[in-house]
Amino acid sequence: MNLDFSVEERAFRDEARTWLRENYPDTPRPEGGAAMREYDTQWQRRQYEGGWAGVAWPVEYGGRGASLLQQMIWYEEYAKTGARDLDSCFVGLYHAGPTLMARASEEQRAFHLAPILRGDVVWCQGFSEPGAGSDLAGLRTSAELDGDELVVTGQKLWTSFADIADYQELLVRTDRNGSRHQGLTWVVCDMRSPGITVRPIETIEHSSHFCEVFYDEVRIPVHNVVGGLGNGWSVAMSTLSFERGTSFAVGQVQLASLLEEVIALAAEVTGPDGRRPALADDEMARELATARAEVAALRSMMYASVSRNARLPQPGPEGSMIKLYFSELRQRVCRLAMEILGAQGWRWQPVHGKAWYHEYLLSYAMTIGGGTSEIQRNIIGERVLGLPR
Amino acid sequence: MDLLPDDEEREIAESVATFLADRFPVSKVRETFGAPSAVDAEFWKNAADLGWFGLGLDESLGGAGYGLAQQALLFREVGRYLTPGPLIASVLAARLAARTGHQQVAAGILGGEQPVGLLVRRSEPDDAPDTGPSADRAVSGRFDLLDGEGASHVLLVEPDRSALLETAALGPTTPIRCADDAARLAEVALTGAPVVAALAESTDALYRRALVLTSAMLTGIAEATRDMTAEHAKTREQFGKPIGVNQAVKHRCADMAVRTEAAWSQLLHAALAADDDVPDAAFQVASARIVAAEAAIHNARDAIQLHGGMGYTFECDAHLYLKRAHLLEHAFGDTRAHLRAILEATTPD
């Protein structure tokens, strides 16, 4: 047990911090469409040129090959610049890329990996469907083999950035006779293929990178299949071993800084008595202090998770505890901001320097996306505590 | 950076757990409830022989020279097994005595001959002021005395200083029944009671150490209640299936696990931060105390609830954990004080 970072790790942190400070774009990120894509991919390209793209990717695929602790340090510093991790390069870097590394052929890896790292391409994910959300294995989008092509028909949902993506990691049913987890196939879908219709879905905070995707006899070459026909479930799950406890490293730092903004807001905004700042209210002070303690605990949970994963060949189900704690806490912190703002809070435009209502609504996505809080609790109950299904 | 115990450190914890499971399981703790003292003399001596009281004390002062984090591993087991008696007070008193040159007093505590009771100040509006620059100023005010029966000394641990007093200097004490059956309680009023030895918090952060060890016990309680409830959810059948199948039960157990993980992780971070005396140590320690108390009390509550009617009986251990958690919650500053400290702390980096 120790909190010490080695000389090399401290040097790594300094190097990362300096590079990020000098290179993170100081222009605001466009809200959507081609301009946002351009912004995200340019930032990715700059990281690539600076030698910082894919810190967690092995050197053989052009990544930094950083140690687990260095990765954590990088994400912490990355978050402190204000950069966001869930941009349009996210699926390629953290999901499709690692899946390709684990399961794709030499040729597929050679074709796809470098462009992801360079920011040449944007990937999206085609997993969820209207009838298959938490129960992913219930998906029905079908792919019929026709010569050396798969013919795909069906619908995917909640596909972030489908409107600007080049490729999609697509999970389809190639065999309806096997069990639910068999008969699935993971295939690379070119988003410009004929028969694809992308329809953006407006969210509660009026953004629309969230899409539904329709497939009308879309023809995909069989050589785009990764890991073999019928092996899609295990291919889709292979990224789980890539995730080694650092998933919420960026989110954790962002939440810590958001909470400090909320505390500053409470010192600035007049409280319910109409005289003193909101922070002078005992109950509000208590809530904010508790949140501060819990944000500290979240960071410690991530440190513990990284320490645990450094020992284990395969990460365990503990990541679900961090996801649940983080997302629920973030929602509570945003709710506190709304309470502090009182009636000012209903303004859509920024007040006190921030679009608080927007931030508040975004926190609702976090307890749903990436596995709902309810699914996380099932996982924790069954896989951490061993409760019966 | 490695937050988790290595093999050797895990062995320390496992040897403590094995010893407690063997010699002082909760069933035996229950047998102490009617006894005049919370301290079982034989057990206390055994614990001393195992080096418990000097685990975190420098070897030059008669200890084993481990860090606060290793001590926290010990106290997590003490919490898990509901070990009665003033263990935190005795460990800290041995340290205070040894560091102020009171070797004989230290030796008595380290050897398990002398347990040390804990003085807890009661905040009363008309109390005489007991402040001043000197750490060894006399003690005045009204106090609760925890587990002082048979103790030659008592310890006062406050945010600015810690002081050791002779029990004889307290004068008459009035016994009162403690809500935690495992603890002995008395009240006492002091007017200028002399101290044997004292240390300013700035010299040796005993208050901070007390909070870390308290958080460790609370974490052990959170783990014990999580585990007993998960076990119950797996084995108790209703409507022909284990109750843990139901999400109303399963999700509550999951929340117990998450709270416990938060408490455990923050405990280790805080113990290491306090030992290294890093700039945000006070913040990390107060945060550990807050999340650990929340985990212990909330989990104990859920344990009672999820055990149903059995959970409300004296026979079920769940209430013992609840009562111990509430006792620990007030032993070294209360929740409001720690929350205030957290809000006033400078932002961690």
Side-chain angles (χ1 to χ4, degrees):
Chain A
M1 297 181 281
N2 70 82
L3 287 178
D4 311 327
F5 288 94
S6 67
V7 175
E8 293 77 29
E9 284 155 356
R10 286 203 300 272
F12 180 89
R13 189 183 288 279
D14 287 344
E15 193 192 339
R17 186 177 293 179
T18 307
W19 188 86
L20 282 161
R21 205 171 284 160
E22 288 169 359
N23 288 278
Y24 183 64
D26 47 15
T27 49
R29 182 171 179 260
E31 280 189 15
M36 184 185 67
R37 177 192 157 115
E38 187 56 20
Y39 180 95
D40 289 350
T41 52
Q42 270 199 21
W43 168 226
Q44 180 60 30
R45 198 163 305 131
R46 194 180 290 187
Q47 291 176 77
Y48 177 79
E49 284 159 3
W52 291 101
V55 282
W57 283 33
V59 175
E60 60 172 313
Y61 300 122
R64 181 105 185 178
S67 72
L68 196 51
L69 263 186
Q70 287 177 332
Q71 292 171 35
M72 191 192 77
I73 291 167
W74 166 257
Y75 295 129
E76 286 190 342
E77 294 304 321
Y78 188 88
K80 284 177 195 167
T81 63
R84 42 186 296 157
D85 56 341
L86 293 173
D87 67 7
S88 56
C89 294
F90 178 85
V91 170
L93 282 169
Y94 296 97
H95 211 275
T99 305
L100 292 165
M101 286 175 218
R103 301 297 290 270
S105 68
E106 205 58 55
E107 191 195 343
Q108 287 168 327
R109 279 180 279 182
F111 184 81
H112 286 296
L113 290 176
I116 292 175
L117 217 50
R118 283 197 302 262
D120 293 347
V121 292
V122 167
W123 281 65
C124 62
Q125 186 182 69
F127 285 10
S128 297
E129 294 182 6
S134 295
D135 182 15
L136 181 60
L139 67 86
R140 290 198 308 215
T141 294
S142 71
E144 304 288 343
L145 194 58
D146 180 22
D148 56 1
E149 288 179 323
L150 287 172
V151 183
V152 176
T153 299
Q155 183 190 352
K156 293 290 175 181
L157 201 58
W158 320 135
T159 302
S160 297
F161 307 114
D163 53 337
I164 54 169
D166 305 290
Y167 293 104
Q168 181 178 49
E169 43 169 349
L170 179 61
L171 201 55
V172 292
R173 187 164 294 286
T174 38
D175 181 356
R176 261 166 292 201
N177 300 317
S179 78
R180 284 156 28 94
H181 293 82
Q182 289 165 355
L184 299 179
T185 295
W186 196 103
V187 63
V188 179
C189 173
D190 185 330
M191 289 302 282
R192 282 166 297 245
S193 309
I196 292 182
T197 309
V198 174
R199 193 181 296 161
I201 301 168
E202 187 176 353
T203 60
I204 59 173
E205 27 83 41
H206 303 299
S207 81
S208 49
H209 345 290
F210 225 32
C211 304
E212 51 188 340
V213 184
F214 298 89
Y215 308 81
D216 182 13
E217 299 191 348
V218 175
R219 304 189 82 85
I220 302 175
V222 165
H223 68 74
N224 279 14
V225 169
V226 169
L229 280 170
N231 295 328
W233 185 260
S234 81
V235 176
M237 295 300 126
S238 61
T239 50
L240 293 179
S241 59
F242 184 75
E243 198 295 280
R244 301 187 68 83
T246 55
S247 287
F248 295 95
V250 171
Q252 172 258 129
V253 174
Q254 287 171 340
L255 175 54
S257 104
L258 179 70
L259 174 61
E260 294 313 311
E261 285 182 67
V262 176
I263 293 172
L265 184 72
E268 194 177 301
V269 174
T270 307
D273 65 4
R275 294 180 294 112
R276 298 175 308 160
L279 192 57
D281 177 68
D282 281 346
E283 200 187 320
M284 179 54 69
R286 195 184 162 107
E287 296 277 351
L288 289 169
T290 304
R292 238 189 183 185
E294 291 178 1
V295 167
L298 173 68
R299 180 180 178 201
S300 300
M301 284 166 88
M302 196 194 61
Y303 280 19
S305 169
V306 166
S307 305
R308 188 182 294 117
N309 285 319
R311 289 170 167 76
L312 299 175
Q314 279 280 4
E318 289 82 6
S320 284
M321 296 201 275
I322 299 185
K323 204 272 180 184
L324 183 59
Y325 198 76
F326 163 73
S327 56
E328 298 286 337
L329 181 55
R330 173 135 195 160
Q331 210 167 86
R332 239 178 54 221
V333 167
C334 289
R335 175 80 198 270
L336 285 174
M338 299 310 292
E339 206 177 312
I340 292 161
L341 285 167
Q344 293 182 77
W346 65 39
R347 282 162 173 72
W348 187 250
Q349 298 308 322
V351 280
H352 296 276
K354 201 178 186 78
W356 286 103
Y357 209 106
H358 186 254
E359 196 70 45
Y360 168 63
L361 290 175
L362 276 178
S363 74
Y364 281 80
M366 294 175 188
T367 50
I368 300 170
T372 63
S373 289
E374 288 65 37
I375 287 293
Q376 304 305 332
R377 288 190 177 95
N378 282 352
I379 293 171
I380 296 161
E382 288 157 18
R383 309 236 301 264
V384 177
L385 297 175
L387 298 180
R389 286 173 68 91
Chain B
M1 193 282 298
D2 183 2
L3 208 55
L4 298 177
D6 63 21
D7 289 343
E8 191 208 331
E9 290 160 341
R10 266 207 309 275
E11 266 173 42
I12 299 174
E14 277 161 22
S15 71
V16 172
T18 307
F19 173 72
L20 287 174
D22 184 39
R23 307 294 292 278
F24 225 123
V26 177
S27 58
K28 188 135 187 251
V29 173
R30 285 172 173 270
E31 291 170 21
T32 68
F33 288 175
S37 167
V39 174
D40 177 302
E42 191 196 336
F43 166 78
W44 212 257
K45 188 83 183 88
N46 286 337
D49 291 344
L50 291 170
W52 283 19
F53 298 109
L55 190 69
L57 193 61
D58 284 355
E59 285 168 277
S60 62
L61 295 172
Y66 281 100
L68 189 52
Q70 286 85 1
Q71 259 187 308
L73 296 182
L74 189 163
F75 276 88
R76 174 189 181 212
E77 300 308 321
V78 166
R80 191 195 314 277
Y81 285 91
L82 290 167
T83 312
L87 280 157
I88 293 180
S90 300
V91 162
L92 296 177
R95 182 181 178 91
L96 194 160
R99 294 205 56 174
T100 52
H102 293 77
Q103 297 311 335
Q104 215 179 329
V105 178
I109 303 168
L110 291 172
E113 287 99 35
Q114 285 303 336
V116 175
L118 182 69
L119 274 182
V120 180
R121 187 183 292 278
R122 286 158 54 199
S123 313
E124 306 279 352
D126 54 343
D127 271 348
D130 176 10
T131 53
S134 156
D136 58 1
R137 64 188 181 268
V139 178
S140 296
R142 276 177 283 179
F143 297 86
D144 276 353
L145 173 59
L146 276 170
D147 295 329
E149 272 71 18
S152 61
H153 292 81
V154 297
L155 182 72
L156 174 67
V157 183
E158 295 198 289
D160 66 326
R161 62 115 178 219
S162 295
L164 192 64
L165 292 80
E166 281 184 8
T167 312
L170 300 182
T173 63
T174 312
I176 28 176
R177 183 173 173 181
C178 184
D180 180 350
D181 292 300
R184 303 293 168 272
L185 185 62
E187 45 181 26
V188 61
L190 302 179
T191 314
V195 307
V196 175
L199 281 173
E201 184 74 4
S202 53
T203 308
D204 190 12
L206 289 180
Y207 182 71
R208 198 175 286 176
R209 297 181 86 88
L211 287 176
V212 168
L213 300 181
T214 303
S215 303
M217 286 180 70
L218 289 164
T219 300
I221 290 172
E223 291 181 354
T225 42
R226 172 199 64 193
D227 294 341
M228 71 183 283
T229 308
E231 192 53 34
H232 181 69
K234 285 178 210 173
T235 50
R236 166 75 176 166
E237 293 197 1
Q238 286 291 277
F239 304 104
K241 57 190 184 190
I243 60 169
V245 165
N246 305 303
Q247 289 186 329
V249 174
K250 181 180 288 175
H251 287 188
R252 213 155 162 168
C253 290
D255 286 337
M256 294 172 85
V258 175
R259 267 179 231 125
T260 309
E261 178 72 8
W264 164 236
S265 306
Q266 184 58 25
L267 166 67
L268 296 171
H269 193 163
L272 294 167
D275 234 4
D276 295 352
D277 199 21
V278 297
D280 66 352
F283 167 78
Q284 297 296 347
V285 169
S287 296
R289 161 59 186 75
I290 290 298
V291 292
E294 164 62 13
I297 293 168
H298 207 144
N299 279 11
R301 174 194 184 262
D302 284 353
I304 292 174
Q305 179 66 26
L306 292 176
H307 278 75
M310 266 307 293
Y312 194 66
T313 65
F314 191 77
E315 185 190 334
C316 177
D317 290 335
H319 72 106
L320 302 180
Y321 292 105
L322 181 78
K323 290 166 182 172
R324 178 49 54 92
H326 279 301
L327 188 82
L328 290 168
E329 191 190 9
H330 302 293
F332 302 97
D334 71 0
T335 295
R336 279 168 301 179
H338 298 308
L339 286 174
R340 206 171 305 124
I342 286 170
L343 207 51
E344 284 162 8
T346 48
T347 320
D349 69 332

